[in-house]
Amino acid sequence: MKHQFKFNPLATAIFTLLCGSSISSYAESTIPASTVDNQKMKDSIQESYPGQQFFEQYYVDKSSPEAQQRRGQQLSSAYCQGAWITPISPETQPADPENTTSTVTADYGHYDPNGDSVLEGNVLIDQQGRQIRADKITIDQTQTYANAQGRVQMAQGGLLAQSDQINYNLKTQQGDLNNSFYISEEQHAHGHAEKIARTSENVVVMNNATYSTCPPDETPTWKIQANKITLNKETGRGETRGTKLYVKDVPVLAVPYFNFPIDDRRTTGILTPSFGFSNDGGVELGVPVYLNLAPNYDATVTPRYIANRGAMLEGEFRYLTENFGSGMVWGGYLASDSKYNDQDRKDLHFLHNWQINNQFSTNLEYNYASDKDYFSDLNNNPNSKTDLNLRRAWELNYKNGIPGLKAQLKVEDFQTLDKTVPSEDRPYARLPQFLLNYKNGNPLGLQYEFNNDTAYFKKDISDFNSVTTEPSGTRIYNDFAVRYNYRNPWSFVIPEISLRNINTFYDQNTIAAQNIRSSDETKSVTVPQFTLDTGLTFEKEGKYLQTITPRAFYAYSPYKNQDTYPNFDSTTASINYDQLFSPRRFYGHDRLEDNNFLSLGLSYSLFDEIGLERLKTSVGQSFYFEDRRVSLNNESDQFDTERHTGPVLSVSSQLSQNFTIGANSAWMSNGDNAQRDLQLYYTGNQGNLYNLGYFYRKDIPNRQKQYDQVVASFIQPVANNWRILGHAQYDLDNNVAREYLLGVNYESCCWGISVYGRSYYNDLDDVSADGVNAKRAIMAEVSLKGLGGFNKKLSSLLENRILGFNKINQSWTQR
């Protein structure tokens, strides 16, 4: 029979072997031996237990009840072939061994104050959050040295180790474990060490050690083997000597010395390199070097070599201040690019954010690039995007102070990358701009709102003709609105009265350049406006829930002549269903619209018994009672004299929990289709995804540009953990593919690989122009789980190209 007893002092001594706790004295005690054959027990102590047998005890099928119980942890991800289940969950925190009573069971126990004390035969010491098993544990007369033998297992919070023998000095907290196998449940890792020695309270040394996150096969896909690994908790650093990376049984990388972190403290060192190939740059290699300069600032310097262009240097500097926020500076430099007319190419960026207090925050942003092709040519992140105008701005923001009040003061300018863009077509600088919004009252009753937008718009007119139409000056915009929000379950009525005002003052440069008369140096206009938004909701319950919502929107504002007013930052609003129910024809505050129109709309929804919206459709149209005389270009077109718009239609359907379809279309009054799109989305339960979209915009001068493209993407699992991914964007106007992407991806708990090819144009390229060719690149990502990857850029690229990628990727790895 086994003997179970409460023996806190002895348990304390055993846990000292693990945790370095102090040992207390205890009284003499002898426990009779059981009926177990002692010789067989002694033979079992001496028996060799290979790691394979030990690992297989705790590596279970991912669909087992044990794995399902710990489903939320990384180890149970579906792409793992199995799951590690250690005796104690990673979420379990160990109790303080000094204050917790432990349960000790053994076949035989003996205490001798004049000699060794022994626990022998299936020893089990159990405490909340910790567990020790051994065939035999001996503590010497002085209570200084402890020795555990034969299948010594120690478990704690997702960590499990088994050793043939453990020797430990309880007073100096030094000792060693011989022939040890270990499992880390959270990291899905396991390995072996010939000897693990605790040389001091904070230092552990492992000799001839291995590490892998692969399944416990005889020959794992990869493993790390080191002659010596030293872990120092005091410095937060680990060191390896004689380290080799094995793929199967083949060594592929040898590092004589390697220094790495074992906690979140940062240190100087080489980060994982990046490599790739493109048709215009050739083979390229980058090796980032991280510099831990101080606790509150660091830097990363990356020398790069691009075969067809030359050597390049990139850098990033990050800092954190005690009272003034944080920021970063980054950029790159390539001298005499042979593929770019031997020009020096460079970029520089600066970003600083400061939360001054609960009400005020500020941020500063600066961007510069030497040319419009810099990012597509030299940025090795395939997800990079080239903006025509790089922003430079300082902002001061206010909120969370006076209830309902938000304000912003900013200075903003832009660098236009394409130097061929005429000055008059470049954006204005705001030097400065002040924005204020105050909204108060009852959101379900009487509500009032005030907005102010005051800005000085400046544009360099030195290269303009004397009769330029691009003036600079100050614009002050104000509007005050009072509305009543009446809503109940079956209707809503929202009347609103507002008063809007624009004041414009030309600056002296504009007055001199355009010979503006003193009477025209300032402009001022005020326009009142009335709107009424109302609708009803009808519901019919049954097997399906059906709703019908008719809606009417009326807007009136008188005409005020603004033909000679400048246009600093306004553009015509796009055509869509929601725009029918807005009095604003322009985005921006350079014009006050004249309105006298009524928009009618009807929406219908059909919900099934599980809540899926099987059908949602909306149709609407606007009817004008007067011509629209206010325009941005001071010239009316045919749309401003039409009595009505064409119909605007929106249709969508959740055909199932996996399949959604949507379509939108808008017609002009003459029956021509102004725009249309069709989008289909399918998301499977096994990590498969398919998207297809068609988008068309008719060329309407001064309103919208021609656009006719097809976009498609897919993710298709093929076998085991392999899947194929693709994305395409085809320009029907120019009969050219704007972008193709096709790749193959494999993911497991052990390792992952992605290989893909990409053909694409710069975002600013005119694909119809002669001599503009697509860029082509082949890139690869390899990751050894637990060690990191060579780069992590494919995921960010797919995230932006494939709608729903994040969601399907999560279901793929956790299915």
mmCIF file of all heavy atoms in Angstrom, residues 30 73 103 108 126 130 183 225 382 410 478 482 484 487 516 531 558-559 661 680 688 695 703 762 796 808 813:
data_model
loop_
_atom_site.group_PDB
_atom_site.id
_atom_site.type_symbol
_atom_site.label_atom_id
_atom_site.label_comp_id
_atom_site.label_asym_id
_atom_site.label_seq_id
_atom_site.Cartn_x
_atom_site.Cartn_y
_atom_site.Cartn_z
ATOM 1 N N THR A 30 9.749 7.257 10.305
ATOM 2 C CA THR A 30 9.992 6.086 9.487
ATOM 3 C C THR A 30 8.667 5.554 8.980
ATOM 4 O O THR A 30 7.711 5.411 9.745
ATOM 5 C CB THR A 30 10.713 4.979 10.273
ATOM 6 O OG1 THR A 30 11.949 5.513 10.745
ATOM 7 C CG2 THR A 30 10.980 3.770 9.397
ATOM 8 N N GLN A 73 -5.017 28.126 -26.264
ATOM 9 C CA GLN A 73 -3.584 28.361 -26.189
ATOM 10 C C GLN A 73 -2.921 28.042 -27.508
ATOM 11 O O GLN A 73 -3.428 27.289 -28.326
ATOM 12 C CB GLN A 73 -2.980 27.512 -25.069
ATOM 13 C CG GLN A 73 -3.599 27.830 -23.704
ATOM 14 C CD GLN A 73 -3.168 26.838 -22.648
ATOM 15 O OE1 GLN A 73 -2.260 26.056 -22.880
ATOM 16 N NE2 GLN A 73 -3.832 26.875 -21.512
ATOM 17 N N THR A 103 1.318 17.542 -0.258
ATOM 18 C CA THR A 103 0.990 16.140 -0.080
ATOM 19 C C THR A 103 2.116 15.293 -0.646
ATOM 20 O O THR A 103 2.478 15.455 -1.813
ATOM 21 C CB THR A 103 -0.334 15.797 -0.780
ATOM 22 O OG1 THR A 103 -1.365 16.625 -0.245
ATOM 23 C CG2 THR A 103 -0.677 14.338 -0.577
ATOM 24 N N TYR A 108 8.099 4.122 0.490
ATOM 25 C CA TYR A 108 8.943 3.957 1.679
ATOM 26 C C TYR A 108 9.523 5.317 2.037
ATOM 27 O O TYR A 108 9.956 6.073 1.173
ATOM 28 C CB TYR A 108 10.071 2.968 1.379
ATOM 29 C CG TYR A 108 11.076 2.808 2.492
ATOM 30 C CD1 TYR A 108 10.821 1.953 3.573
ATOM 31 C CD2 TYR A 108 12.269 3.511 2.469
ATOM 32 C CE1 TYR A 108 11.743 1.815 4.600
ATOM 33 C CE2 TYR A 108 13.194 3.384 3.495
ATOM 34 C CZ TYR A 108 12.930 2.527 4.565
ATOM 35 O OH TYR A 108 13.848 2.392 5.580
ATOM 36 N N ASP A 126 3.186 16.717 -4.214
ATOM 37 C CA ASP A 126 2.164 17.476 -4.930
ATOM 38 C C ASP A 126 1.829 18.752 -4.157
ATOM 39 O O ASP A 126 1.525 18.704 -2.968
ATOM 40 C CB ASP A 126 0.903 16.625 -5.092
ATOM 41 C CG ASP A 126 0.046 17.115 -6.243
ATOM 42 O OD1 ASP A 126 0.425 18.123 -6.864
ATOM 43 O OD2 ASP A 126 -0.989 16.490 -6.518
ATOM 44 N N ARG A 130 2.706 22.950 -8.608
ATOM 45 C CA ARG A 130 3.970 22.248 -8.772
ATOM 46 C C ARG A 130 3.774 20.767 -8.487
ATOM 47 O O ARG A 130 2.906 20.373 -7.714
ATOM 48 C CB ARG A 130 5.050 22.793 -7.821
ATOM 49 C CG ARG A 130 5.536 24.193 -8.111
ATOM 50 C CD ARG A 130 6.771 24.480 -7.276
ATOM 51 N NE ARG A 130 7.280 25.822 -7.492
ATOM 52 C CZ ARG A 130 7.059 26.837 -6.677
ATOM 53 N NH1 ARG A 130 6.327 26.666 -5.597
ATOM 54 N NH2 ARG A 130 7.557 28.022 -6.945
ATOM 55 N N ILE A 183 9.955 19.881 -21.726
ATOM 56 C CA ILE A 183 8.818 20.272 -22.578
ATOM 57 C C ILE A 183 8.330 21.637 -22.122
ATOM 58 O O ILE A 183 8.169 21.869 -20.921
ATOM 59 C CB ILE A 183 7.656 19.251 -22.480
ATOM 60 C CG1 ILE A 183 8.081 17.875 -23.005
ATOM 61 C CG2 ILE A 183 6.431 19.759 -23.237
ATOM 62 C CD1 ILE A 183 7.078 16.785 -22.684
ATOM 63 N N GLN A 225 21.174 22.830 -31.838
ATOM 64 C CA GLN A 225 22.041 22.103 -30.913
ATOM 65 C C GLN A 225 23.227 22.987 -30.566
ATOM 66 O O GLN A 225 23.870 23.577 -31.437
ATOM 67 C CB GLN A 225 22.528 20.789 -31.518
ATOM 68 C CG GLN A 225 23.405 19.982 -30.568
ATOM 69 C CD GLN A 225 23.627 18.561 -31.050
ATOM 70 O OE1 GLN A 225 22.786 18.010 -31.755
ATOM 71 N NE2 GLN A 225 24.754 17.981 -30.684
ATOM 72 N N PRO A 382 6.780 44.699 -49.636
ATOM 73 C CA PRO A 382 5.886 44.626 -50.802
ATOM 74 C C PRO A 382 4.550 45.305 -50.577
ATOM 75 O O PRO A 382 3.799 45.497 -51.510
ATOM 76 C CB PRO A 382 5.700 43.106 -50.995
ATOM 77 C CG PRO A 382 5.947 42.517 -49.651
ATOM 78 C CD PRO A 382 6.989 43.385 -49.012
ATOM 79 N N LYS A 410 -3.566 73.133 -36.625
ATOM 80 C CA LYS A 410 -2.528 72.415 -37.365
ATOM 81 C C LYS A 410 -1.893 73.299 -38.418
ATOM 82 O O LYS A 410 -2.496 74.257 -38.921
ATOM 83 C CB LYS A 410 -3.084 71.150 -38.014
ATOM 84 C CG LYS A 410 -4.028 71.366 -39.173
ATOM 85 C CD LYS A 410 -4.441 70.025 -39.764
ATOM 86 C CE LYS A 410 -5.425 70.198 -40.915
ATOM 87 N NZ LYS A 410 -5.836 68.891 -41.500
ATOM 88 N N ASN A 478 -18.015 79.124 -41.005
ATOM 89 C CA ASN A 478 -18.796 78.870 -39.797
ATOM 90 C C ASN A 478 -20.146 78.289 -40.177
ATOM 91 O O ASN A 478 -20.738 78.669 -41.205
ATOM 92 C CB ASN A 478 -19.038 80.177 -39.009
ATOM 93 C CG ASN A 478 -17.755 80.815 -38.523
ATOM 94 O OD1 ASN A 478 -17.133 80.345 -37.584
ATOM 95 N ND2 ASN A 478 -17.357 81.903 -39.193
ATOM 96 N N VAL A 482 -29.389 73.852 -35.604
ATOM 97 C CA VAL A 482 -30.286 73.387 -34.548
ATOM 98 C C VAL A 482 -31.190 72.331 -35.163
ATOM 99 O O VAL A 482 -31.798 72.563 -36.220
ATOM 100 C CB VAL A 482 -31.135 74.540 -33.974
ATOM 101 C CG1 VAL A 482 -32.083 74.005 -32.909
ATOM 102 C CG2 VAL A 482 -30.240 75.615 -33.390
ATOM 103 N N TYR A 484 -33.939 68.774 -34.295
ATOM 104 C CA TYR A 484 -34.710 68.016 -33.309
ATOM 105 C C TYR A 484 -34.772 66.570 -33.782
ATOM 106 O O TYR A 484 -35.282 66.266 -34.867
ATOM 107 C CB TYR A 484 -36.135 68.574 -33.152
ATOM 108 C CG TYR A 484 -36.856 67.923 -31.996
ATOM 109 C CD1 TYR A 484 -36.697 68.411 -30.699
ATOM 110 C CD2 TYR A 484 -37.679 66.825 -32.196
ATOM 111 C CE1 TYR A 484 -37.345 67.813 -29.621
ATOM 112 C CE2 TYR A 484 -38.328 66.208 -31.130
ATOM 113 C CZ TYR A 484 -38.148 66.703 -29.842
ATOM 114 O OH TYR A 484 -38.774 66.105 -28.787
ATOM 115 N N ARG A 487 -37.322 60.178 -32.686
ATOM 116 C CA ARG A 487 -37.230 58.779 -33.113
ATOM 117 C C ARG A 487 -38.078 57.909 -32.198
ATOM 118 O O ARG A 487 -38.123 58.125 -30.988
ATOM 119 C CB ARG A 487 -35.779 58.284 -33.077
ATOM 120 C CG ARG A 487 -34.847 58.989 -34.046
ATOM 121 C CD ARG A 487 -33.438 58.437 -33.940
ATOM 122 N NE ARG A 487 -32.507 59.132 -34.817
ATOM 123 C CZ ARG A 487 -32.283 58.807 -36.092
ATOM 124 N NH1 ARG A 487 -32.934 57.772 -36.614
ATOM 125 N NH2 ARG A 487 -31.434 59.489 -36.825
ATOM 126 N N ILE A 516 -5.788 92.614 -58.001
ATOM 127 C CA ILE A 516 -7.135 92.586 -57.434
ATOM 128 C C ILE A 516 -7.485 93.957 -56.876
ATOM 129 O O ILE A 516 -6.690 94.571 -56.148
ATOM 130 C CB ILE A 516 -7.224 91.518 -56.330
ATOM 131 C CG1 ILE A 516 -6.981 90.127 -56.945
ATOM 132 C CG2 ILE A 516 -8.578 91.549 -55.629
ATOM 133 C CD1 ILE A 516 -6.968 89.006 -55.933
ATOM 134 N N THR A 531 -33.392 71.563 -43.683
ATOM 135 C CA THR A 531 -33.498 70.174 -44.137
ATOM 136 C C THR A 531 -34.511 69.446 -43.267
ATOM 137 O O THR A 531 -34.701 69.767 -42.085
ATOM 138 C CB THR A 531 -32.148 69.425 -44.063
ATOM 139 O OG1 THR A 531 -31.724 69.333 -42.708
ATOM 140 C CG2 THR A 531 -31.092 70.134 -44.890
ATOM 141 N N PRO A 558 -31.115 79.082 -50.297
ATOM 142 C CA PRO A 558 -31.178 80.010 -51.436
ATOM 143 C C PRO A 558 -29.834 80.143 -52.142
ATOM 144 O O PRO A 558 -28.778 79.810 -51.591
ATOM 145 C CB PRO A 558 -31.597 81.323 -50.786
ATOM 146 C CG PRO A 558 -31.112 81.222 -49.377
ATOM 147 C CD PRO A 558 -31.238 79.772 -49.002
ATOM 148 N N TYR A 559 -29.891 80.649 -53.350
ATOM 149 C CA TYR A 559 -28.684 80.851 -54.157
ATOM 150 C C TYR A 559 -27.992 82.152 -53.783
ATOM 151 O O TYR A 559 -28.620 83.202 -53.655
ATOM 152 C CB TYR A 559 -29.047 80.881 -55.641
ATOM 153 C CG TYR A 559 -27.934 81.402 -56.521
ATOM 154 C CD1 TYR A 559 -26.801 80.610 -56.777
ATOM 155 C CD2 TYR A 559 -27.991 82.680 -57.077
ATOM 156 C CE1 TYR A 559 -25.776 81.099 -57.571
ATOM 157 C CE2 TYR A 559 -26.969 83.164 -57.881
ATOM 158 C CZ TYR A 559 -25.860 82.366 -58.127
ATOM 159 O OH TYR A 559 -24.840 82.844 -58.906
ATOM 160 N N ILE A 661 -23.041 38.465 -51.263
ATOM 161 C CA ILE A 661 -22.970 39.131 -52.557
ATOM 162 C C ILE A 661 -23.526 40.537 -52.402
ATOM 163 O O ILE A 661 -24.466 40.772 -51.637
ATOM 164 C CB ILE A 661 -23.766 38.335 -53.635
ATOM 165 C CG1 ILE A 661 -23.600 38.989 -55.006
ATOM 166 C CG2 ILE A 661 -25.226 38.203 -53.259
ATOM 167 C CD1 ILE A 661 -24.178 38.162 -56.139
ATOM 168 N N LEU A 680 -18.461 39.700 -54.719
ATOM 169 C CA LEU A 680 -18.835 38.402 -54.183
ATOM 170 C C LEU A 680 -17.762 37.965 -53.187
ATOM 171 O O LEU A 680 -16.563 38.044 -53.487
ATOM 172 C CB LEU A 680 -18.974 37.342 -55.287
ATOM 173 C CG LEU A 680 -20.060 37.568 -56.348
ATOM 174 C CD1 LEU A 680 -19.507 38.386 -57.498
ATOM 175 C CD2 LEU A 680 -20.578 36.229 -56.874
ATOM 176 N N ASN A 688 -10.586 28.355 -46.547
ATOM 177 C CA ASN A 688 -10.661 28.763 -47.951
ATOM 178 C C ASN A 688 -11.464 30.056 -48.085
ATOM 179 O O ASN A 688 -12.417 30.296 -47.350
ATOM 180 C CB ASN A 688 -11.276 27.646 -48.808
ATOM 181 C CG ASN A 688 -12.583 27.140 -48.250
ATOM 182 O OD1 ASN A 688 -12.778 27.098 -47.041
ATOM 183 N ND2 ASN A 688 -13.492 26.740 -49.119
ATOM 184 N N PHE A 695 -15.555 46.867 -60.755
ATOM 185 C CA PHE A 695 -15.811 48.257 -60.417
ATOM 186 C C PHE A 695 -15.710 49.107 -61.682
ATOM 187 O O PHE A 695 -14.715 49.043 -62.405
ATOM 188 C CB PHE A 695 -14.801 48.750 -59.379
ATOM 189 C CG PHE A 695 -14.778 47.930 -58.118
ATOM 190 C CD1 PHE A 695 -13.953 46.815 -58.017
ATOM 191 C CD2 PHE A 695 -15.593 48.252 -57.050
ATOM 192 C CE1 PHE A 695 -13.921 46.052 -56.875
ATOM 193 C CE2 PHE A 695 -15.577 47.492 -55.901
ATOM 194 C CZ PHE A 695 -14.745 46.389 -55.803
ATOM 195 N N ARG A 703 -16.229 65.756 -62.362
ATOM 196 C CA ARG A 703 -16.998 65.043 -61.336
ATOM 197 C C ARG A 703 -16.354 63.710 -60.942
ATOM 198 O O ARG A 703 -16.182 63.423 -59.768
ATOM 199 C CB ARG A 703 -18.445 64.819 -61.791
ATOM 200 C CG ARG A 703 -19.225 66.129 -61.879
ATOM 201 C CD ARG A 703 -20.654 65.926 -62.299
ATOM 202 N NE ARG A 703 -21.358 67.207 -62.352
ATOM 203 C CZ ARG A 703 -22.126 67.678 -61.382
ATOM 204 N NH1 ARG A 703 -22.289 66.973 -60.268
ATOM 205 N NH2 ARG A 703 -22.731 68.849 -61.499
ATOM 206 N N ASN A 762 4.053 50.740 -60.120
ATOM 207 C CA ASN A 762 4.075 51.807 -59.132
ATOM 208 C C ASN A 762 2.698 52.463 -59.089
ATOM 209 O O ASN A 762 2.032 52.620 -60.115
ATOM 210 C CB ASN A 762 5.148 52.827 -59.540
ATOM 211 C CG ASN A 762 5.305 53.955 -58.529
ATOM 212 O OD1 ASN A 762 4.508 54.119 -57.620
ATOM 213 N ND2 ASN A 762 6.350 54.731 -58.712
ATOM 214 N N SER A 796 1.300 41.084 -44.268
ATOM 215 C CA SER A 796 0.805 42.456 -44.360
ATOM 216 C C SER A 796 0.357 42.785 -45.779
ATOM 217 O O SER A 796 -0.589 43.537 -45.984
ATOM 218 C CB SER A 796 1.880 43.437 -43.901
ATOM 219 O OG SER A 796 3.017 43.368 -44.735
ATOM 220 N N ILE A 808 -9.845 34.839 -42.023
ATOM 221 C CA ILE A 808 -9.674 33.479 -42.539
ATOM 222 C C ILE A 808 -8.342 32.906 -42.092
ATOM 223 O O ILE A 808 -8.207 31.692 -41.874
ATOM 224 C CB ILE A 808 -9.797 33.456 -44.080
ATOM 225 C CG1 ILE A 808 -10.211 32.059 -44.570
ATOM 226 C CG2 ILE A 808 -8.519 33.879 -44.763
ATOM 227 C CD1 ILE A 808 -11.579 31.641 -44.142
ATOM 228 N N THR A 813 -5.455 28.817 -38.746
ATOM 229 C CA THR A 813 -4.476 28.398 -37.751
ATOM 230 C C THR A 813 -5.110 27.895 -36.465
ATOM 231 O O THR A 813 -4.428 27.289 -35.645
ATOM 232 C CB THR A 813 -3.528 29.558 -37.399
ATOM 233 O OG1 THR A 813 -4.292 30.664 -36.931
ATOM 234 C CG2 THR A 813 -2.726 29.971 -38.626
#
